[in-house]
Amino acid sequence: QVQLVESGGGMVQAGASLRLSCVDSKLTFSNYAMGWFRQAPGKEREFLAAINWSGTNIYYSDSVNDRFTISRDKDYAKNTLYLQINSLKPEDTAVYYCAAAHTDGDVHVVSRTLSRSKYWGQGTQVTVSS
């Protein structure tokens, strides 16, 4: 049963912005770290960014520049993860996934633990045309 649901993807032109969302509808992962990955056609899945359970620690991959911003909106009624992507480029074309894991630490620990998590959304497609 899917518990993480991504949305916000679409087909856009280069230079546009998108805000991806990942909803934890059952509040299962309120106390988990959550993160974003993407997988482009023919490429391996790539870690982008993560945020710890409290929102106090944010992690970005070295490959991510300031066009990407991760955030989290969490309270007693909701737990939603966001990824704002500005100035989209054709090379950003990929399926974007969110994941959750009970982890904390530095970016290497968090990204590795998230990548091995069994808790993933189904993905949202982002297609950027030039």
Side-chain angles (χ1 to χ4, degrees), residues 21-122:
S21 300
C22 173
V23 176
D24 170 18
S25 58
K26 297 186 177 182
L27 299 178
T28 304
F29 306 108
S30 293
N31 295 324
Y32 282 52
M34 297 179 72
W36 287 99
F37 293 74
R38 70 183 179 185
Q39 188 164 22
K43 294 188 176 181
E44 293 187 355
R45 187 175 59 200
E46 174 189 19
F47 167 73
L48 298 173
I51 188 167
N52 73 337
W53 69 275
S54 63
T56 55
N57 292 333
I58 290 177
Y59 314 87
Y60 290 103
S61 166
D62 289 342
S63 65
V64 169
N65 55 34
D66 57 5
R67 297 187 298 115
F68 293 75
T69 304
I70 190 171
S71 61
R72 187 170 187 171
D73 186 8
K74 188 180 76 168
D75 62 24
Y76 71 94
K78 61 181 179 297
N79 178 31
T80 305
L81 183 71
Y82 299 101
L83 184 69
Q84 177 74 35
I85 314 174
N86 297 325
S87 302
L88 279 155
K89 303 177 180 181
E91 51 263 43
D92 293 321
T93 295
V95 179
Y96 286 71
Y97 299 92
C98 66
H102 208 278
T103 183
D104 210 336
D106 65 23
V107 62
H108 304 292
V109 171
V110 172
S111 61
R112 182 169 61 244
T113 306
L114 281 168
S115 69
R116 296 172 179 174
S117 173
K118 60 181 179 179
Y119 304 116
W120 289 84
Q122 80 281 18

